[in-house]
Amino acid sequence: MNTSQALLVVFAMALVTYATRAGGIFLVGFVPMSARTENFLRYLAGAVLVALVVPATVRGGPEGYVAVGVAILARLVLRRALPAIALGILAAALWRAYMGAS
């Protein structure tokens, strides 16, 4: 595969990803928004995040636990998710640097 073919594949994947996201937003406009539906959509992102983080934490060993602990504490203190995640990643990196990888 040459460079132009690879770029075409990446562009096509980006287009399909955008189309599915935009299509989902468009289709949700036709769904009647009951309180139950709103609650489902509100908590869906958090549930997906937990489903991704928990297995990685368990496999990650001590640095995974440190990272999640720091991220949770930072989230409670800062009340912002992105800086909390960044601090969790930094904590894991520092743990690995000073304590060694598990």
Side-chain angles (χ1 to χ4, degrees):
M1 180 179 290
N2 61 30
T3 304
S4 61
Q5 289 173 327
L7 288 173
L8 184 62
V9 168
V10 169
F11 179 73
M13 289 169 42
L15 190 62
V16 168
T17 301
Y18 177 77
T20 56
R21 288 180 150 223
I25 293 170
F26 175 74
L27 290 175
V28 164
F30 295 105
V31 175
M33 283 294 165
S34 66
R36 188 172 182 174
T37 305
E38 282 186 37
N39 284 334
F40 172 77
L41 292 174
R42 181 175 296 121
Y43 295 110
L44 183 63
V48 170
L49 182 62
V50 168
L52 293 172
V53 168
V54 169
T57 302
V58 172
R59 279 193 318 264
E63 64 265 17
Y65 295 115
V66 168
V68 170
V70 167
I72 289 171
L73 288 174
R75 176 67 172 99
L76 292 172
V77 171
L78 301 174
R79 300 202 183 276
R80 295 179 57 207
L82 194 56
I85 293 169
L87 287 171
I89 292 169
L90 178 63
L94 291 172
W95 181 274
R96 282 187 174 198
Y98 293 107
M99 303 300 279
S102 58

